Amino acid sequence: MIVLFFVWQKVVCGIAGIAAKLVNGAGNLGRVRRMISQITHRGPDDEGYFFDSGICLGHARLSIIDLDSGHQPIANEDKSILVVFNGEIFNYIELRSDLIRAGHHFSSLSDTEVIVHLYEDYGDDFVHYLNGQFSIALWDKNKQKLLLVRDRVGIVPLFYTHVDNNLIFASEIKAILPALHSSPSINIHALDQIMTFWSSVGQETIFEEIYEVEPGKMVVFQDGKIAHSQYWEWEFTDAHYDEADHDLAEQLEDLLDDAIRLRLRSDVPVGAYLSGGLDSSVLTSLAHRHKKDNLRTFSIGFDDKSFDESSYQKEMIKYLGSEHSHLSCSYQDISSNFLQSIWNIEAPILRTAPVPMGLLSGMVRKQGYKVVLTGEGADEVFGGYDIFKETKIRQFWAKNPDSSFRAVLLKRLYPYLNISQPQALVYLKNFFGAGLDDPNSPFFSHIPRWLTTAKTKAFFSEDINAQLSKSAIDSISERFSPAMSNMDAFQKAQFIESRMLMPGYLLSSQGDRMLMKNSVEGRFPFLDHRIIEFANGIHPTKKMKVINEKYLLKFAMRKRVPEKIINRFKQPYRAPDIPAFFREDGESDVTELLGTDYIKKYGFFDDKKVSRLIEKIRRGRATSYKDNMALVGILSTQAVNHLFVDKQVTGNQMLDINEGISYGC
């Protein structure tokens, strides 16, 4: 028996389900309902469920395309193939036309339906035809096969676990927990990775035996067995090495323009984030050409002016003439929303930067917008980060390690930081000199950052240290080294950023989770796979000319963006850390989790070392990056354990994040 039904209620999208060999899916309907109830923030517009022998699927929908009939799960003509889907297929109009010509019949106008018909024609290879951001669960009834597929670069999340011969999956980990028999355990090795790389690596998550479908990968569950395959990888070629700058710039503008055109497809209004940097300025400028009405833009700033970029935002607003809304974020805004943000992120973090992004998406939603364009990905694709500049200078320095002049070049990279003191050169040599003796290492570019971040692990308890048999850096060598063997130093740095930090933190903790907490979808034109593949065929010197980052992008956009924006020093997005929790007007209540009782109870950190850090902060002496990362890392780890482990949210229990600590949030 096949049962397909929808619940019409005011309940972006979230998916969940359970596959079990030879089990009637109806028996899992109650569990899947509870799973979906944990992620209604991803889909507040309606719910849909399907169950049959071996499968039960659930979906929570945010209506963006085909508002009236695009409900899920969605099936092919004979109901033998069903899909629940989170994300967008931006080229669905073109795909739909091709499929209709091939004889397929459609029951809706939604982008989701092209997936089932593509699968009918191409099987597992259907994913190669998609231009989009997505997590897909596809059930093939005849083969009793479940496919879990994630987009190429990791914009949309998807998690799973294998318990009692059941494959349980969902858009967020919190939706998996009600289907488990007990509360999860913290994955100590993933914690070690987060405290080194800012994110866990590969399929690992902060919870033991709960896994992430990796970007560009497909997980197949059939006959009780799990198989993995990779359908796309971040690869570099020499396809465009011999082309002139003008020709490359023209191709790039055409690709960007088309990527933005596709991402403006929506049956609801589309706005744009405007940070004041090059990337968001390029997007808003090109998007402005496609909008019939005035482009709506949104930005965030800080009461603490050392983090604020409002002057550049105003420059671009004036240039575009856009209707704009600005949110100013205070220390208290960050601390009072921290715990809720960790509930959404579901992992420890080392900086508070995601929290203001969640506040920004809240403002967007309150003003009636469900979709925004955003500029993430440009730095990874076109070589914009300071770490790429550092790599070039450190490679130059490594040829003559005793040179003081070569080390001083690094001071030019950070005009917005106070490194003019006499001890600055000593600091630069100590920090950037790490790993200088091995310039051919695949991780040469990132060793200084990783070693500095890893100092947060000095706060680990003896018990945690005893469980860690080898360093996090050693643990990833086998995983990434072979793929990087034919890359130059610049490409290696790009690869690491694109395969680790971008999907693990920027697109997740700071991206999807902070957007979807307020039912807002972010769209990322720079991460259109056509743009990535084009850029990966460009010589590194066209991405960074000497130390002029994103050279080709600037060259292509020089007539589209004000000169002041083109020529400004790149300043990374940052937010206040320690000052948000330890303010002049008092300490945040959330710091109760740093108290000796909680530290000892959870056992991850040494209570005496944490107490000394807190005392250092209270005396105003904790100002280093290491101190800031340690404070946020410890606090967020404590929060993850409190929310997802200590509270033991299982079965039909619902998560109330205010329960169990003596403060509200």
Side-chain angles (χ1 to χ4, degrees):
M1 178 179 67
I2 295 176
V3 179
L4 179 63
F5 65 95
F6 302 100
V7 181
W8 311 104
Q9 59 184 35
K10 185 76 175 173
V11 268
V12 253
C13 297
I15 64 175
I18 301 174
K21 185 179 179 182
L22 302 178
V23 173
N24 189 338
N28 284 321
L29 179 59
R31 286 206 290 173
V32 173
R33 279 182 174 276
R34 291 193 294 272
M35 292 168 71
I36 288 293
S37 73
Q38 294 280 38
I39 51 173
T40 53
H41 53 279
R42 299 188 71 91
D45 295 332
D46 74 67
E47 299 175 16
Y49 299 90
F50 165 84
F51 61 83
D52 193 14
S53 176
I55 192 70
C56 185
L57 302 173
H59 181 262
R61 185 188 184 209
L62 176 70
S63 302
I64 291 174
I65 289 177
D66 190 14
L67 306 186
D68 295 327
S69 62
H71 311 289
Q72 297 184 40
I74 203 161
N76 64 341
E77 294 92 334
D78 65 2
K79 304 292 190 294
S80 63
I81 299 166
L82 286 105
V83 163
V84 286
F85 161 71
N86 175 199
E88 300 289 344
I89 307 302
F90 297 117
N91 63 333
Y92 77 100
I93 293 176
E94 293 78 8
L95 291 173
R96 176 187 170 91
S97 296
D98 292 342
L99 289 164
I100 289 173
R101 282 195 295 270
H104 290 277
H105 299 281
F106 283 75
S107 61
S108 76
L109 298 175
S110 76
D111 57 339
T112 310
E113 194 171 358
V114 302
I115 297 171
V116 294
H117 297 304
L118 283 171
Y119 179 79
E120 286 182 300
D121 284 359
Y122 302 108
D124 294 0
D125 289 335
F126 79 94
V127 67
H128 295 290
Y129 295 85
L130 305 180
N131 183 333
Q133 53 191 59
F134 47 80
S135 62
I136 299 168
L138 183 148
W139 175 249
D140 186 327
K141 178 185 176 182
N142 295 333
K143 295 182 179 180
Q144 291 287 289
K145 179 172 77 170
L146 176 70
L147 301 182
L148 300 179
V149 189
R150 193 167 173 214
D151 65 67
R152 294 170 178 86
V153 296
I155 296 171
V156 182
L158 185 57
F159 301 91
Y160 70 95
T161 189
H162 191 202
V163 179
D164 298 333
N165 294 317
N166 293 332
L167 194 289
I168 304 169
F169 69 89
S171 295
E172 296 184 14
I173 293 171
K174 63 177 64 67
I176 290 176
L177 301 186
L180 303 182
H181 301 306
S182 61
S183 60
S185 299
I186 295 296
N187 181 343
I188 300 305
H189 296 285
L191 179 61
D192 185 38
Q193 292 171 351
I194 291 169
M195 295 295 184
T196 307
F197 313 124
W198 284 40
S199 69
S200 53
V201 179
Q203 66 174 359
E204 297 297 316
T205 73
I206 193 60
F207 301 107
E208 288 186 0
E209 298 183 357
I210 297 178
Y211 305 105
E212 181 175 30
V213 178
E214 295 181 62
K217 287 197 173 183
M218 178 182 295
V219 174
V220 180
F221 183 66
Q222 189 175 27
D223 296 326
K225 298 177 181 178
I226 297 175
H228 302 260
S229 63
Q230 186 160 350
Y231 69 86
W232 191 87
E233 178 59 288
W234 203 282
E235 297 176 342
F236 295 93
T237 70
D238 60 0
H240 303 288
Y241 273 26
D242 298 328
E243 297 179 36
D245 290 2
H246 282 86
D247 294 335
L248 291 171
E250 186 175 312
Q251 293 177 64
L252 174 56
E253 183 171 359
D254 288 344
L255 280 170
L256 263 176
D257 193 63
D258 192 59
I260 291 168
R261 177 186 65 84
L262 291 179
R263 282 157 182 79
L264 287 172
R265 285 178 171 172
S266 174
D267 293 331
V268 298
V270 178
Y273 280 172
L274 181 59
S275 68
L278 175 67
D279 310 331
S280 65
S281 298
V282 166
L283 290 189
T284 52
S285 179
L286 292 178
H288 198 65
R289 299 194 302 183
H290 291 283
K291 294 280 287 182
K292 294 179 181 179
D293 51 357
N294 205 15
L295 180 67
R296 193 77 160 79
T297 55
F298 305 90
S299 67
I300 193 164
F302 295 92
D303 292 351
D304 186 334
K305 297 306 177 186
S306 63
F307 298 94
D308 195 68
E309 297 183 83
S310 297
S311 62
Y312 293 104
Q313 295 164 6
K314 291 175 182 176
E315 178 80 15
M316 199 63 200
I317 294 163
K318 181 180 178 181
Y319 180 81
L320 291 174
S322 64
E323 183 181 352
H324 186 77
S325 295
H326 179 81
L327 178 71
S328 186
C329 183
S330 69
Y331 293 153
Q332 187 168 354
D333 290 332
I334 293 172
S335 61
S336 62
N337 286 278
F338 185 78
L339 200 63
Q340 174 69 55
S341 297
I342 297 300
W343 185 80
N344 288 101
I345 293 167
E346 303 177 321
I349 55 177
L350 296 176
R351 306 308 292 262
T352 64
V355 182
M357 298 306 296
L359 298 174
L360 179 60
S361 72
M363 180 183 73
V364 169
R365 182 68 189 201
K366 287 178 182 177
Q367 298 200 14
Y369 280 75
K370 294 182 179 181
V371 184
V372 288
L373 301 180
T374 181
E376 277 80 5
D379 288 311
E380 290 81 1
V381 175
F382 294 104
Y385 285 129
D386 288 333
I387 199 168
F388 303 142
K389 296 180 184 180
E390 294 166 10
T391 300
K392 292 189 74 169
I393 293 175
R394 290 177 64 245
Q395 286 282 337
F396 177 60
W397 182 13
K399 295 175 182 178
N400 185 1
D402 296 326
S403 170
S404 296
F405 163 74
R406 297 186 181 207
V408 170
L409 290 174
L410 290 158
K411 291 177 66 175
R412 295 175 55 189
L413 302 185
Y414 303 104
Y416 53 88
L417 297 179
N418 181 20
I419 53 175
S420 59
Q421 302 301 318
Q423 65 269 30
L425 182 58
V426 175
Y427 168 79
L428 289 172
K429 281 194 168 185
N430 289 338
F431 180 84
F432 292 112
L436 209 64
D437 58 340
D438 189 10
N440 295 319
S441 165
F443 309 121
F444 174 82
S445 58
H446 285 67
I447 288 295
R449 303 288 183 98
W450 289 348
L451 292 180
T452 298
T453 303
K455 290 178 181 179
T456 58
K457 294 186 287 188
F459 293 90
F460 277 171
S461 66
E462 290 183 5
D463 180 57
I464 295 299
N465 282 322
Q467 297 179 55
L468 298 173
S469 57
K470 61 180 179 180
S471 76
I473 296 175
D474 289 341
S475 71
I476 66 167
S477 182
E478 291 182 6
R479 176 180 178 81
F480 289 117
S481 294
M484 301 164 67
S485 59
N486 295 320
M487 300 178 190
D488 67 19
F490 194 89
Q491 291 168 338
K492 289 174 183 175
Q494 280 189 278
F495 182 84
I496 293 169
E497 283 293 299
S498 304
R499 293 287 275 108
M500 292 178 65
L501 187 68
M502 185 176 74
Y505 173 77
L506 287 175
L507 295 178
S508 176
S509 301
Q510 195 168 296
D512 172 87
R513 302 313 183 86
M514 294 298 97
L515 288 155
M516 289 298 187
K517 76 188 293 264
N518 293 301
S519 306
V520 175
E521 178 183 86
R523 296 182 176 181
F524 305 80
F526 285 111
L527 293 176
D528 186 306
H529 70 278
R530 299 171 301 167
I531 292 175
I532 296 171
E533 290 164 1
F534 168 77
N536 284 357
I538 295 171
H539 196 282
T541 57
K542 299 293 178 73
K543 298 175 184 176
M544 184 172 289
K545 183 159 286 191
V546 190
I547 57 171
N548 180 14
E549 79 280 359
K550 289 186 285 197
Y551 164 75
L552 183 64
L553 181 62
K554 291 177 179 178
F555 184 72
M557 294 293 109
R558 65 195 184 282
K559 296 180 181 179
R560 305 288 183 195
V561 176
E563 186 177 359
K564 181 179 178 180
I565 301 293
I566 291 283
N567 294 328
R568 66 167 291 195
F569 277 105
K570 179 175 176 57
Q571 181 173 334
Y573 164 67
R574 301 177 299 142
D577 295 314
I578 287 175
F581 302 101
F582 294 85
R583 306 184 301 272
E584 292 182 0
D585 62 345
E587 296 179 11
S588 167
D589 290 337
V590 75
T591 59
E592 184 177 333
L593 285 170
L594 299 173
T596 299
D597 290 345
Y598 272 112
I599 294 293
K600 286 184 175 180
K601 178 181 179 181
Y602 294 162
F604 304 116
F605 303 102
D606 184 299
D607 64 291
K608 293 183 176 60
K609 291 181 179 178
V610 173
S611 294
R612 286 196 291 270
L613 173 64
I614 301 304
E615 182 58 29
K616 183 180 179 182
I617 291 170
R618 287 171 176 159
R619 292 165 63 185
R621 296 174 57 191
T623 58
S624 70
Y625 285 115
K626 181 186 73 173
D627 292 333
N628 279 275
M629 284 192 292
L631 185 280
V632 178
I634 294 167
L635 181 57
S636 60
T637 302
Q638 292 287 101
V640 167
N641 195 78
H642 173 74
L643 294 171
F644 298 105
V645 180
D646 192 23
K647 295 177 76 68
Q648 298 182 353
V649 182
T650 60
N652 62 358
Q653 292 177 313
M654 298 300 292
L655 185 61
D656 177 3
I657 67 170
N658 295 320
E659 182 182 325
I661 294 182
S662 61
Y663 56 85
C665 64

